[in-house]
Amino acid sequence: MKMKAAYTLLGILSDFSQKKVKAYLDEELDMWARRGVHGHFSGKHPWALGDECIVELMADIVGARKEEVALMNGLTVNLHLQMYAVESQLQLHGLDVEKCMLMIQPRKGEETLRIEDILDIIEKEGDSVAVILLSGVQYYTGQLFDIPRITKAGQEKGCYVGFDLAHAAGNIELHLHDWGVDFACWCSYKYLNSGAGGLAGAYIHEKHSQTIKPALIGWWGHEFKTRFLMENKLQLSPGINGFRLSNPPILLVCALHASLEVFGQTTMKALRRKSILLTGYLEYLIKHYYSEDKANPEKPFVKIITPPKTEERGCQLTLVFSVPIKSVFKELEKRGVACDMREPNALRVAPVPLYNSFHDVHRFIEILGSAITSAKQTANNAATS
Ligand SMILES: *Cc1c(COP(=O)(O)O)cnc(C)c1O
């Protein structure tokens, strides 16, 4: 599992949500100063209900019902709680990772997975598989998987089907409930802008609300009505809410709240509509200016490894270069572009529809041109010296 910091095309962070974060934090710090512990149950947003006050905004973003979503922990913690941080859970239970974990790889010479290969593995191996876990959008290639189709195929074989939506939440339209996805989790600090280490999300479909129970139980999973009686008699909240362990961290709630309110002013449908055009524009310009020219082998070029079909990608494009990536990245940074480099040879750029414009994309293309030229120059100099 790879971790990474937020990356945006031109590093223009959404100013409006940052302002709200500060206001909300100030409000809670003030409350803390004036009321101390009583902030737990009084005030506009009692801390004990901090997460529940904003969960509906999050549910809208992933296409789930309010009762199907909980805001808690970090993403990896939620993967563990939902019992599927796979390798580590297999080891914990004394199972052989080699034998018990089936990984899907792209075909030789290809960068992304073919849906027919995923469905084929499910068809062949599904009878012996308990849980299928995939990312919604693959972090390296930017490939978006056909979540409803994979869900249906897996469930027909009797598997639970879940998704790590770290790169999908706030990026693409999701309909977790309608698609019947069994479980999912995601972090909120990539496309959802909640700040490093922000509060993560987790989902379990309502059809499992009485049957899927947490293996590890904490007092916050206890029904609110009787939670504070401390009678030592568990009344577990149904579904994902029963998986909650601890008090919600109110300062993280503030940051997430500010961001989700900005998302609440639009819809994922509208953002996605702009996103398809914005990423399409970026793709068009890259191909137009920086494609490989067989007649001119000296000309440096850029290749896009993200799938070309809009339904197979979100806003991110992953680029590979004919010139050394490290110097392209350095030249871009020098010119004020914040994007993300992955060894050995990939640069991830993500024009984000919430706050990047078509003009930003155009500017990026111009800057990319001069960065590539400088990188090529550096490589030539190194070769001749
Ligand atoms: C970002 C990311 C994570 C990060 O997990 P944290 O627990 O929030 O640090 C995990 N998985 C994937 C696929 C990611 O992209």
Side-chain angles (χ1 to χ4, degrees), residues 298-340:
E298 275 301 293
K299 184 189 157 215
F301 62 88
V302 181
K303 208 179 95 191
I304 301 170
I305 66 170
T306 306
K309 288 188 190 155
T310 55
E311 67 272 22
E312 291 180 12
R313 68 187 187 202
C315 69
Q316 168 192 339
L317 293 182
T318 304
L319 314 180
V320 298
F321 293 83
S322 66
V323 289
I325 180 114
K326 273 194 181 136
S327 51
V328 176
F329 182 65
K330 226 169 75 193
E331 296 296 333
L332 284 171
E333 292 255 291
K334 259 202 247 170
R335 292 162 174 79
V337 176
C339 44
D340 177 275

Side-chain angles (χ1 to χ4, degrees), residues 1-4 74-77 139 164 166-167 187 189-190:
M1 203 167 302
K2 295 280 176 179
M3 320 287 166
K4 79 177 180 43
L75 168 54
T76 310
V77 177
Y139 78 95
D164 177 337
H167 290 258
C187 53
Y189 54 81
K190 286 167 184 162

Side-chain angles (χ1 to χ4, degrees), residues 346-359:
L347 187 83
R348 300 184 297 174
V349 290
V352 174
L354 190 66
Y355 51 84
N356 281 133
S357 65
F358 292 87
H359 179 235

Side-chain angles (χ1 to χ4, degrees), residues 170-171 191 268 270-276 278-279 315 350-357:
N171 177 10
Y191 294 101
M268 283 312 301
L271 287 173
R272 176 68 170 153
R273 204 180 312 127
K274 178 181 167 194
S275 178
I276 287 172
L278 202 58
T279 296
C315 69
V352 174
L354 190 66
Y355 51 84
N356 281 133
S357 65

Side-chain angles (χ1 to χ4, degrees), residues 165-186:
L165 301 175
H167 290 258
N171 177 10
I172 56 155
E173 264 191 275
L174 294 163
H175 301 282
L176 295 181
H177 178 87
D178 289 348
W179 292 339
V181 171
D182 292 302
F183 70 97
C185 48
W186 58 96

Side-chain angles (χ1 to χ4, degrees), residues 93-117:
H93 291 92
L95 296 166
D96 182 343
V97 174
E98 293 279 313
K99 283 203 196 110
C100 297
M101 185 169 73
L102 232 161
M103 303 260 281
I104 308 182
Q105 307 261 354
R107 293 187 190 184
K108 234 188 162 68
E110 297 188 4
E111 305 280 357
T112 52
L113 289 166
R114 297 192 194 196
I115 180 75
E116 64 262 31
D117 289 355

